[in-house]
Amino acid sequence: MSRSLSITFVGGARSVTGANFLMEAEEEGRPARILIDCGLKQGERFCESANSKPFPYDPTSVDALFITHAHADHIGLIPKLVKDGFHSPIYGTAPTLDLMPVMLEDSVGIIAREAKACGAEPPYTTADVARAASMTEPLNYGLTKSIGPFTITLFNAGHILGSALVLVEVFGKRILFTGDLGRVPTLIIPDRDVPPGTIDYLVTESVYGNRTHEPIEESEKALLGALKRVQEKKGTLLIPSFSLERTQIILKTIDRFLTEKLVEPLPVFLDSPLAIRVTEVYKNNARFLRRELQEQLQSGDDPFSFPSLRVTFSKGDAKAVDEAEPPKVVIAGAGMSHGGRIRSHEMHYLPGKENELLLVGYQVPGSLGRRLQDGAKEILINRKKVKVRAKVSKTGGFSAHADRDGLLSFAESVNPKEVFVVLGEMESASFLAQRISGFLDIKATIPQEGEQIEIPLSE
Ligand SMILES: [Zn+2]
């Protein structure tokens, strides 16, 4: 019987963002194609990145798309895929599919502005987002879906609400894609699964392949310390936060500090329409949260809210942030300060010595957040020079990603025959690959962007 199987690392190879993996199987001349993720490449100028180029495969020929989770670097190009002719179902867990349009509607405007800045057409519109949303079909953890010769099962990846590991079984081979992998323990969703049975190939992320996170307790301490300092200095604490998962972790942590009276109540502004909408999706998908949060919600106590929390949905409401007397806290997106309302707050508050900026997530090279993390004393926001006199600190313990030891221990528990290391900067990917081959004696390679790897099949 003539059969062939391959994986093409279309995007997300040797880079953190832009996840897009194509699996092609052929039997007796009948081809079948599935995609895992279709993400936006972030941190580069729009016109220089893959976002603006045509897909290197024919979107009309793809039989299904499986999405690991709703972060933009995993779903951000789905509307473009649809616009370019993809017409098959899009599978993910129910929360991922609820989050998808919320996240995409938010990024449409940002992408259009980026495209306009370099004289290009926007890659898609809100109509394409709506079309993509109408093509989704939920697939629960543990259930299987057959697409031609492929059988696909999703497992909990423990990264963000609804995040999934994608297990692909085809022609007797079992291939596991991690998407992004969560750390253990997590704070608001259940810890990740290890799929049962033998895995032939593991396609693992490596965002933090060469770094360790501080324990969650250290980040809780850093947040508590920053809150206490701005209370003392009568300053403003800015937290640029990713709207998805990170913001909910911060809200839940502040809620706990207040309940345990570790800090005096102070106004906390959630100045992010996106984060507000995302938090609603969390509450609507309570069965995907940790059991203790489900119980808290059932008892009528919202783990993501407290009396001094003010949500500012519209831009008019956002004025209340500036009018409020310090001390106060402002949580706003975008997480890497590359867009969103945080930029105007940074313009306003970074020059003040009494203020603080706490970075709680990964800052991609080239982003404004990365420049602040690297200690820039002066930055440009909307072409205006802004002096940075506020204390800038970062803490990595709220990360939703496994660190280098977590990634290694996941590879060890999966115990595959071979590993492809993706979704990390080169340094980080090669560090993880070396540790996988050195410590676990498993062959680990780092595919290049666009590389197609044939999977050998036994006759
Ligand atoms: Zn992610």
Side-chain angles (χ1 to χ4, degrees):
M1 201 181 335
S2 87
R3 295 195 303 197
S4 66
L5 180 64
S6 70
I7 309 177
T8 307
F9 299 86
V10 180
R14 306 190 177 192
S15 90
V16 171
T17 64
N20 191 204
F21 308 110
L22 173 69
M23 285 204 70
E24 293 176 279
E26 197 169 305
E27 191 170 25
E28 304 296 350
R30 283 192 311 276
R33 293 185 185 86
I34 58 168
L35 283 175
I36 317 293
D37 286 339
C38 189
L40 197 67
K41 206 162 169 94
Q42 294 166 315
E44 286 176 21
R45 274 171 48 86
F46 180 83
C47 290
E48 290 156 13
S49 76
N51 300 331
S52 62
K53 300 190 179 82
F55 292 102
Y57 46 83
D58 176 7
T60 62
S61 73
V62 178
D63 303 301
L65 164 64
F66 290 84
I67 48 182
T68 60
H69 65 290
H71 273 145
D73 55 334
H74 293 258
I75 62 164
L77 285 186
I78 293 176
K80 177 175 144 130
L81 189 74
V82 169
K83 189 183 174 187
D84 290 359
F86 172 78
H87 50 72
S88 300
I90 302 170
Y91 297 97
T93 63
T96 296
L97 300 182
D98 284 354
L99 288 165
M100 188 181 96
V102 175
M103 298 299 287
L104 291 174
E105 279 162 25
D106 183 76
S107 56
V108 153
I110 301 168
I111 293 170
R113 273 196 300 281
E114 281 183 18
K116 198 176 161 202
C118 56
E121 283 292 306
Y124 57 81
T125 63
T126 43
D128 301 311
V129 171
R131 257 234 331 248
S134 73
M135 293 159 67
T136 58
E137 285 183 31
L139 182 61
N140 251 334
Y141 293 137
L143 299 181
T144 59
K145 188 87 221 169
S146 294
I147 306 288
F150 296 104
T151 302
I152 292 94
T153 317
L154 305 183
F155 295 88
N156 174 24
H159 169 56
I160 63 166
L161 187 78
S163 62
L165 308 165
V166 178
L167 174 65
V168 180
E169 294 170 278
V170 53
F171 299 156
K173 298 288 175 194
R174 301 179 90 230
I175 302 114
L176 183 67
F177 292 82
T178 62
D180 284 345
L181 194 66
R183 69 183 304 198
V184 178
T186 51
L187 276 176
I188 54 182
I189 51 166
D191 293 349
R192 70 192 184 209
D193 294 331
V194 173
T198 312
I199 297 293
D200 296 290
Y201 297 91
L202 172 67
V203 182
T204 182
E205 65 121 315
S206 59
V207 177
Y208 288 95
N210 60 348
R211 284 164 291 172
T212 50
H213 295 318
E214 61 229 79
I216 288 177
E217 299 77 44
E218 288 300 312
S219 286
E220 288 173 333
K221 255 194 232 165
L223 176 58
L224 187 60
L227 288 167
K228 286 185 166 168
R229 281 194 302 275
V230 292
Q231 275 188 325
E232 231 173 73
K233 296 187 286 186
K234 298 219 173 344
T236 299
L237 171 63
L238 298 184
I239 307 178
S241 186
F242 297 91
S243 304
L244 183 42
E245 193 86 5
R246 204 71 44 90
T247 294
Q248 291 74 32
I249 288 177
I250 303 282
L251 291 176
K252 186 199 171 277
T253 306
I254 298 178
D255 179 54
R256 182 172 72 75
F257 291 162
L258 291 167
T259 310
E260 295 176 6
K261 299 195 165 37
L262 298 175
V263 65
E264 291 293 314
L266 78 170
V268 176
F269 291 91
L270 179 56
D271 187 24
S272 164
L274 177 61
I276 297 165
R277 292 180 70 191
V278 166
T279 307
E280 285 307 309
V281 177
Y282 272 65
K283 290 183 215 168
N284 294 338
N285 285 277
R287 69 192 175 90
F288 287 83
L289 296 171
R290 286 187 95 82
R291 188 162 295 274
E292 57 269 30
L293 271 80
Q294 291 185 33
E295 285 163 5
Q296 198 180 338
L297 268 167
Q298 273 159 14
S299 76
D301 177 9
D302 182 345
F304 307 116
S305 188
F306 38 87
S308 62
L309 178 71
R310 322 246 170 99
V311 296
T312 45
F313 207 81
S314 77
K315 265 207 168 139
D317 295 341
K319 275 193 188 142
V321 179
D322 289 341
E323 282 161 14
E325 286 293 317
K328 60 189 169 187
V329 180
V330 185
I331 305 168
M336 295 187 275
S337 302
H338 52 288
R341 293 188 187 170
I342 193 69
R343 289 167 71 90
S344 62
H345 296 303
E346 284 171 338
M347 218 185 244
H348 195 82
Y349 293 104
L350 286 180
K353 265 190 186 152
E354 69 285 12
N355 302 326
E356 294 211 12
L357 178 82
L358 181 63
L359 299 165
V360 293
Y362 175 78
Q363 308 294 319
V364 79
S367 64
L368 177 59
R370 182 64 164 249
R371 287 199 287 284
L372 286 163
Q373 179 182 308
D374 291 344
K377 290 289 166 227
E378 191 175 84
I379 51 165
L380 277 180
I381 298 180
N382 302 343
R383 298 199 190 95
K384 287 198 185 91
K385 283 184 186 168
V386 178
K387 289 252 186 275
V388 183
R389 293 194 197 87
K391 178 182 166 70
V392 176
S393 52
K394 68 158 191 152
T395 186
F398 292 125
S399 175
H401 280 272
D403 66 5
R404 65 174 210 194
D405 298 334
L407 289 165
L408 189 70
S409 77
F410 184 75
E412 185 175 22
S413 44
V414 169
N415 195 25
K417 295 183 182 132
E418 193 171 337
V419 178
F420 299 117
V421 182
V422 297
L423 299 173
E425 287 165 33
M426 191 54 193
E427 220 178 304
S428 153
S430 60
F431 191 88
L432 180 64
Q434 277 166 28
R435 296 213 330 158
I436 289 172
S437 55
F439 293 169
L440 308 180
D441 199 20
I442 297 171
K443 185 181 174 197
T445 49
I446 309 164
Q448 299 199 38
E449 195 141 295
E451 188 174 348
Q452 182 180 35
I453 291 180
E454 289 293 328
I455 304 291
L457 298 169
S458 41
E459 286 309 313

